[in-house]
Amino acid sequence: YRDLHTFELQAPTRLIEWARGNRVCVAGYGQSDGNEILQLIPPPTLLTKETQGLCPERDFKVECGGFSERPVYSLKYVPDTSLLVTSGPPDSSLKVWQVSAEDSDVIKSVSTIATENGTGQSWAKIATISARAPWVLHGSRLDRVQITEVESRKNVYTAASRGSEELSSLAFLDCNLLLLCCATGRLCLADIRQPQSLVEAMPVPSAPCSEQWCMGTRHAAQGSEPSSQPVARLSSRGLLALTDLRKTSEFLALAKARVPSPGSGAEFLCISWAPALEGYLAISGFDGTVHVYDTQSWDSSGREAEPIFVHKGHTFGGAGGSRDAPLVTVHTWHLQKPRTLLSAASDGSLHVWDWVQPCGKC
């Protein structure tokens, strides 16, 4: 490692979200009434773009927080605002939170976004954008996807679909294009300017019906088409598929990650592209590790890929003294530091780490 910071949370978290001012938001997913939502100030060394030397202050600090009556399974910061949106069982409704001003340390609930026929539906996956207005894209199934204006709670768009497949991920590619990923791995592209259009992309490789998938998207470079960025999909068996949305008749690349057999489920599967490192992605959710891959040498053979780095820090114990091996519940990349990632685990441990790049690499 080049650097490693650790922080112990009071409860397991499955969320890490960057907020304004390089703050980090986390939330608990327990079944009790007291699930914390916290905004943390990272260690000073993470607040600068350049790597610094030794820094006397190495801990996260709690800046403000609140409590959710329900488990928080998804949390998104609304860009250019002081609002957070969360979702979680027992239904598909959303909660909107106000991050407090400087004179207060409270994150408070300000409204609820109810969904039509939301009762009985699983928790909603969410994505946010503020290109036109603060919007949230949300839904638990393919025929329940909609965009809601966060502050007015006005419905802006409802996707047209005859299918009712469960969703695993969704994303804004830009202010007009949406990408939806079903748990089966099926990708669907929607354009809000054409409400009746829903284009299916390349299906996943043939796999058992019980296999579950998630996706990771990357923001398009300035001046490029949003659909020009490859979409990465990860399955509960460790299959990896890269797809170019401009040419969905074939895969850009296929690979197999070296991961253990899936356990009780795939609820913590996570795949993400590095925002500041071309062709790099990370995966987690199988055990207590995070794997980082360089995809630039991948082809369509589907052979096993060798990770360039494996973070094993969570496997060496953490908060609570639990005998069970911790499971990484989520990871995310630092927005400016190319090889810096944050990861959280089921034992309440939060890690920030930066690996040393091998010689000859970028």
Side-chain angles (χ1 to χ4, degrees):
Y1 293 96
R2 185 186 302 277
D3 207 355
L4 172 65
H5 302 268
T6 65
F7 185 73
E8 303 301 339
L9 301 167
Q10 294 300 310
T13 179
R14 61 181 293 159
L15 310 151
I16 304 173
E17 174 75 358
W18 287 102
R20 62 179 181 177
N22 263 334
R23 299 312 197 244
V24 176
C25 293
V26 297
Y29 64 90
Q31 299 301 319
S32 66
D33 292 339
N35 294 286
E36 285 188 303
I37 298 177
L38 302 175
Q39 181 164 287
L40 308 175
I41 303 175
T45 186
L46 291 180
L47 297 177
T48 60
K49 292 185 178 181
E50 299 298 327
T51 301
Q52 295 180 331
L54 292 176
C55 182
E57 182 56 69
R58 297 181 58 82
D59 290 332
F60 285 83
K61 291 183 177 179
V62 177
E63 185 173 36
C64 52
F67 290 93
S68 172
E69 296 177 354
R70 60 171 63 188
V72 182
Y73 277 28
S74 187
L75 177 151
K76 293 293 180 182
Y77 164 66
V78 183
D80 305 321
T81 72
S82 58
L83 300 175
L84 302 171
V85 180
T86 64
S87 67
D91 55 40
S92 60
S93 64
L94 311 180
K95 283 282 188 181
V96 181
W97 303 79
Q98 175 76 53
V99 179
S100 57
E102 295 181 359
D103 58 348
S104 173
D105 59 359
V106 176
I107 297 176
K108 61 181 180 180
S109 175
V110 292
S111 65
T112 299
I113 298 176
T115 54
E116 186 179 356
N117 299 324
T119 304
Q121 296 290 325
S122 59
W123 61 279
K125 284 65 179 179
I126 55 179
T128 56
I129 195 172
S130 288
R132 297 176 181 172
W135 285 355
V136 56
L137 170 67
H138 56 104
S140 59
R141 294 188 175 275
L142 196 57
D143 58 351
R144 303 283 181 186
V145 175
Q146 60 189 72
I147 297 175
T148 303
E149 193 172 289
V150 175
E151 295 171 320
S152 68
R153 287 172 283 171
K154 176 184 176 182
N155 178 266
V156 176
Y157 167 84
T158 300
S161 174
R162 296 178 182 176
S164 60
E165 295 174 61
E166 182 182 353
L167 290 171
S168 65
S169 322
L170 39 73
F172 283 102
L173 297 181
D174 63 14
C175 62
N176 294 312
L177 294 177
L178 317 175
L179 187 63
L180 317 174
C181 180
C182 299
T184 58
R186 177 186 173 200
L187 285 179
C188 292
L189 189 65
D191 189 329
I192 67 173
R193 296 166 297 188
Q194 303 172 18
Q196 300 305 312
S197 70
L198 198 62
V199 180
E200 183 176 356
M202 181 74 179
V204 293
S206 57
C209 295
S210 60
E211 192 166 9
Q212 297 188 50
W213 293 76
C214 67
M215 76 168 179
T217 59
R218 186 181 180 190
H219 292 297
Q222 188 172 6
S224 65
E225 290 293 327
S227 58
S228 67
Q229 296 298 314
V231 177
R233 280 174 285 178
L234 169 68
S235 83
S236 52
R237 284 198 302 137
L239 295 179
L240 291 149
L242 306 186
T243 304
D244 186 337
L245 294 177
R246 299 168 302 177
K247 190 177 182 181
T248 59
S249 59
E250 61 186 44
F251 291 107
L252 278 178
L254 292 171
K256 178 73 170 65
R258 190 183 304 166
V259 297
S261 300
S264 57
E267 61 177 330
F268 298 119
L269 280 184
C270 184
I271 182 169
S272 62
W273 287 102
L277 206 58
E278 186 68 31
Y280 281 60
L281 58 77
I283 67 170
S284 63
F286 297 91
D287 53 18
T289 66
V290 182
H291 292 205
V292 179
Y293 292 92
D294 180 358
T295 69
Q296 294 177 90
S297 62
W298 289 6
D299 54 30
S300 58
S301 66
R303 63 189 177 190
E304 186 173 272
E306 186 72 25
I308 62 167
F309 188 81
V310 179
H311 175 61
K312 300 179 181 179
H314 294 283
T315 63
F316 298 112
S322 173
R323 295 180 180 179
D324 296 332
L327 172 68
V328 172
T329 54
V330 69
H331 72 266
T332 190
W333 294 78
H334 194 283
L335 300 178
Q336 289 91 28
K337 294 177 179 292
R339 291 186 298 277
T340 298
L341 291 93
L342 291 80
S343 55
S346 56
D347 61 355
S349 58
L350 174 64
H351 289 184
V352 184
W353 40 279
D354 187 346
W355 81 91
V356 177
Q357 187 68 35
C359 294
K361 298 287 185 178
C362 58

